[in-house]
Amino acid sequence: MLNLINTSFDNCIKCTVCTTRCPVAEANPDYPGPKQAGPDGERLRIKNPELYDEALKHCTNCKRCEVACPSGVHVGTVIQLAKAKHGGFKKGPREFMLSHTDLMGSLSSPAAPVVNTVTRLKPVKKLLDKTLGIDERRTLPKYTGQTFRSWFNKQSGTQEQFKRKISFFHGCFTNYNDPTVGKHLVSVLNAMNIGVSLMKKEKCCGVPLIANGFFDKARKNAELNMNQFARSLTETECVIATEPSCTMTLRDEYPEVLDVDNSEVKDRIFFASAFIAREFARGNQPDMKPVKLRVAYHSPCHLIKAGGVIHTMELLNSIPGLEVIMLDQKCCGLSGTYGFKKENYSTSQSIGQGIFDQIEALGVDYVVTDCESCKMQVEMNTGHTVLHPLTLLAQSLT
Amino acid sequence: MPEDELSFQDKFITSCHTAGIRAEALTPKEALRIEPNVNPQLLGAVRVPDGTIDPFRLTASNILDAEEYGGRLMNYTRVTGLIIENGRVCGVHCMNIKTGELIDIRALQVVNAAGIWGQQITEYADLSIRMFPAKGSLLIVDYRINSMVINRCRKPADADILVPGDTISLIGTTSEKIPYSDIENIRVTPNEVETLLAEGEKLCPIMAKTRVLRAYCGVRPLVSLGDDPSGRNISRGIVLVDHGKADALPGLITITGGKLMTYRLMAEMATDAVAKNLGNTRHCETAEKPLPGANGKNADVHAPQVSIPVSGSAKYRHGERAAKFLSDDKKQNAIICECEMVTRGEIEYAVNNLNAKDLVDLRRRTRIGMGPCQGEMCSCRAAGIVSEMTHADNSENALDSIGEFLQERWKGVRPILWGDAMREADFSYWVYDNLLGYNQLQSLPAPVSEQLFTEQDDNVAVEAA
Ligand code: SF4
Ligand code: SF4
């Protein structure tokens, strides 16, 4: 018998809206959808844990079901926790490699040129496909030779001159793969007379760890991060993250999924767009030059969940000359590590097809999105370069 | 619980031991480990051998077993009188309450096992068995909050037992004397709901935030043996009367009293009495023979394509008989009731093999409509299947069936109409009435499908639709 703590599944009125919004259920007939995998299945699992359905493995934790639910059921969380409780995660070397992003980053980044060349070689991709099950058709993320932290430390002196300060949670991708967004955040905030500081230490927020079932490791990271946040917040106004999934995890998943109390700092964790949009609204808006571009904006699932799309749109709309077309709010299909797995490749691609087609048909200059994983997926599947909103903002300042 | 006397525990344990029942005292910590949702304020606990049965499964299995031995079930057939010829009961006059058809059934021996209605049956022969109707109400909650029966360790009182049953738990029961004339018109009162919830919460505090699915009441067929206003101390003993001996009216035997716990023994006693009157002295074997489906969830049924929640639920309900409908046929595996994982195959099996003629029957055989949505998702789907199987082309029948079913569900939901149960009921109403236009369809002169079928010209038919 379980100790029933999270019983949000009990609020489900069976309207099935969640299932109509689930990208996986739409693309993969083997997945019974969030209603059945979540609240319906939970009653059965409480009755008898043997009634666990292994089809739950197909869920990507995109959280679209939760956004859609009119009853406040934490559908995605119910599913993740059920997977964790009932051994529903396959935790092989591939899962380890894909999910331990900070470990892989700290190993690969120093040897970036070599790693980047090697991982683009056909035979290597074949090997990864055959031995680990990482689909050979995927473009693997590149690593940066100079991490964001080492770049930042070299210029951190300039941050001292600002009276106002925020702490920046850079996340794994910005640090090890591509520091561009981090650099742009620094220049945008500096233009607004706000200085940036980093936590003494930060660990991966845990989103890939949760998605692959490494809950203990994720919890450890969460505890370290929360300690660091508390310390850092004694000197700064708030913590800002530029990656939607990190933001959602730090704020919502820590207490809900990992049972890590973040109530002390939760209200001071902001998604970059939300913070900047609020500053703009208060009059702290630097002069902006026109950026004459036509772009399509793709809203990432986890940003929809975190409720931040509106802020990003506000920022984009504040850039003079920029024409922004909002794409349909559909999932790109990569879902972090999910789409890298060989068995998910075709589902992942067919989920994203709608977005790819829409982008191709629009003929825009760039695609814009806040999420690194969406960026990878769109760049691999369309001829377009994908920019972060902060990059456009930075461009309008110079 | 702190408010109960701890001394009762010792008395309880000693009494168990005297009666030869194992009883072992547990520390609060041990009790919480076994049942984590139990009230952490408990002072102590006693573990006794206890179990639960599923009344729906048990009934269906008994019927199936009887039919396999040549018995015949006539549902919805009310006994309206006894056929008495030459001072002997030779059968019963009946009426089919659905069709109004009058039927006479003749038999060498008639057994009156009509529960609380037993008094009425004997009255047909001017005999008197005084029943003592005691109404009991209970609440069904959305999911299992306990895995074994949890009982308050105190003198029997209202709402002192929490029973897990299939996917739900139920808190019961109240006990209230009612006049015999009221047995057809009982309802759960707000006071009873309040008592059940307040006391239930003391057993498991989680009940305070758990959705109540429905309230239910029934009448205990107690036989009056004393003058006890609450009905609590009345004997739950078995009463077997051979009216040939007792009242010089041969051909009629009444079996009543007892509890579900003793139902099989009661059946054996009644059957032995019948057999004796018929001159059959063979020893009764039912105690040694498992009922159909007795293997339950351990049944060895092979259907690899069926998902575990579906096959597991089917096996739990039908045991080895699930093999009759669990297959790799995609159409058969379509899930009709999503709360309880009932497939099209199971519904067809229940219609064909378990005397389910409409949705209300089907619910008792399969659990459709018993989950949190109380029929919202499955009623129309299942009605279509049953209608297809039993009354081809008669959509009116399907509509009636949906209406009757949802009304019956509504009856149980009404006493607990707040919170999520209210949202759910409102949503169901919206779906069936506002979206599907149930009430308008009902008042149409003829079923829509018939109008369509009689129209030869497709275009006209579409316009008419
Ligand atoms: S989290 Fe995403 S993939 Fe998982 S059930 Fe919800 S909508 Fe579907
Ligand atoms: S959207 Fe929410 S209420 Fe509706 S079926 Fe899904 S979980 Fe239940």
Side-chain angles (χ1 to χ4, degrees), chain B residues 55-362:
Chain B
F56 301 103
R57 276 181 61 198
L58 184 72
T59 313
S61 286
N62 268 296
I63 296 170
L64 195 55
D65 198 40
E67 289 190 325
E68 286 174 3
Y69 281 105
R72 192 168 149 214
L73 174 77
M74 295 175 75
N75 247 347
Y76 302 106
T77 310
R78 174 174 290 156
V79 174
T80 54
L82 294 170
I83 306 173
I84 303 175
E85 285 167 6
N86 306 322
R88 179 182 180 84
V89 176
C90 308
V92 286
H93 300 295
C94 307
M95 183 178 79
N96 182 316
I97 56 170
K98 293 228 159 178
T99 61
E101 187 192 356
L102 298 174
I103 314 153
D104 278 358
I105 303 169
R106 301 188 74 88
L108 293 175
Q109 291 280 313
V110 173
V111 178
N112 169 17
I116 192 66
W117 290 275
Q119 175 176 331
Q120 214 169 308
I121 304 272
T122 54
E123 278 165 5
Y124 291 143
D126 293 326
L127 305 174
S128 165
I129 292 228
R130 289 285 298 145
M131 295 301 241
F132 187 113
K135 182 182 77 166
S137 298
L138 50 84
L139 302 178
I140 316 273
V141 297
D142 185 14
Y143 49 90
R144 271 201 186 197
I145 52 190
N146 50 331
S147 56
M148 30 174 121
V149 179
I150 301 178
N151 239 305
R152 271 290 268 284
C153 197
R154 66 173 181 196
K155 272 201 166 145
D158 281 350
D160 53 10
I161 183 165
L162 184 63
V163 185
D166 207 313
T167 47
I168 54 95
S169 284
L170 63 86
I171 176 81
T173 49
T174 56
S175 186
E176 187 197 343
K177 181 184 173 178
I178 57 162
Y180 192 82
S181 53
D182 284 358
I183 58 169
E184 307 272 0
N185 297 311
I186 52 168
R187 61 175 61 203
V188 183
T189 64
N191 280 346
E192 286 176 304
V193 173
E194 243 163 64
T195 308
L196 288 164
L197 278 179
E199 294 296 310
E201 245 181 89
K202 289 180 194 160
L203 278 175
C204 284
I206 193 177
M207 197 175 289
K209 47 182 186 135
T210 305
R211 168 161 19 159
V212 181
L213 289 186
R214 52 194 291 117
Y216 170 89
C217 61
V219 180
R220 298 183 184 88
L222 305 183
V223 185
S224 176
L225 295 174
D227 189 25
D228 165 28
S230 76
R232 282 271 170 221
N233 298 324
I234 213 164
S235 161
R236 307 272 165 122
I238 302 166
V239 175
L240 174 75
V241 184
D242 184 336
H243 297 282
K245 295 197 186 87
D247 308 296
L249 183 66
L252 180 67
I253 287 169
T254 291
I255 177 84
T256 189
K259 297 208 74 182
L260 182 56
M261 179 83 178
T262 53
Y263 94 97
R264 207 213 56 79
L265 179 64
M266 292 169 72
E268 181 173 329
M269 286 164 68
T271 315
D272 281 349
V274 169
K276 196 168 151 225
N277 289 347
L278 295 176
N280 181 340
T281 52
R282 247 180 78 187
H283 150 79
C284 175
E285 295 172 345
T286 61
E288 295 133 39
K289 293 195 170 161
L291 287 170
N295 285 347
K297 66 175 189 194
N298 300 322
D300 180 22
V301 179
H302 192 66
Q305 298 287 310
V306 182
S307 81
I308 299 285
V310 170
S311 65
S313 303
K315 284 196 289 182
Y316 181 88
R317 288 191 285 267
H318 303 281
E320 67 282 359
R321 300 289 168 112
K324 294 211 186 242
F325 59 87
L326 276 185
S327 70
D328 286 344
D329 182 326
K330 278 227 158 66
K331 190 177 171 197
Q332 294 296 302
N333 291 338
I335 296 172
I336 305 302
C337 166
E338 299 173 35
C339 300
E340 300 289 350
M341 293 288 161
V342 183
T343 58
R344 183 187 182 101
E346 185 172 341
I347 288 179
E348 290 184 1
Y349 167 73
V351 171
N352 287 333
N353 302 51
L354 303 177
N355 301 289
K357 299 281 179 279
D358 58 27
L359 297 189
V360 177
D361 295 341
L362 202 56

Side-chain angles (χ1 to χ4, degrees), chain A residues 30-43:
Chain A
D30 292 339
Y31 185 54
K35 171 177 176 284
Q36 205 174 306
D40 290 356
E42 192 70 0
R43 286 178 76 242

Side-chain angles (χ1 to χ4, degrees), chain A residues 12-81:
Chain A
C12 168
I13 55 163
K14 313 297 167 194
C15 68
T16 319
V17 167
C18 51
T19 297
T20 68
R21 309 306 293 169
C22 171
V24 179
E26 193 179 350
N28 179 2
D30 292 339
Y31 185 54
K35 171 177 176 284
Q36 205 174 306
D40 290 356
E42 192 70 0
R43 286 178 76 242
L44 302 177
R45 295 187 287 264
I46 292 173
K47 165 184 154 188
N48 179 2
E50 284 166 28
L51 296 179
Y52 175 78
D53 187 352
E54 65 136 29
L56 263 61
K57 68 174 180 224
H58 297 299
C59 165
T60 65
N61 199 26
C62 74
K63 301 274 183 190
R64 283 184 176 258
C65 46
E66 274 180 33
V67 175
C69 176
S71 305
V73 179
H74 301 166
V75 197
T77 302
V78 169
I79 296 170
Q80 296 312 304
L81 291 177

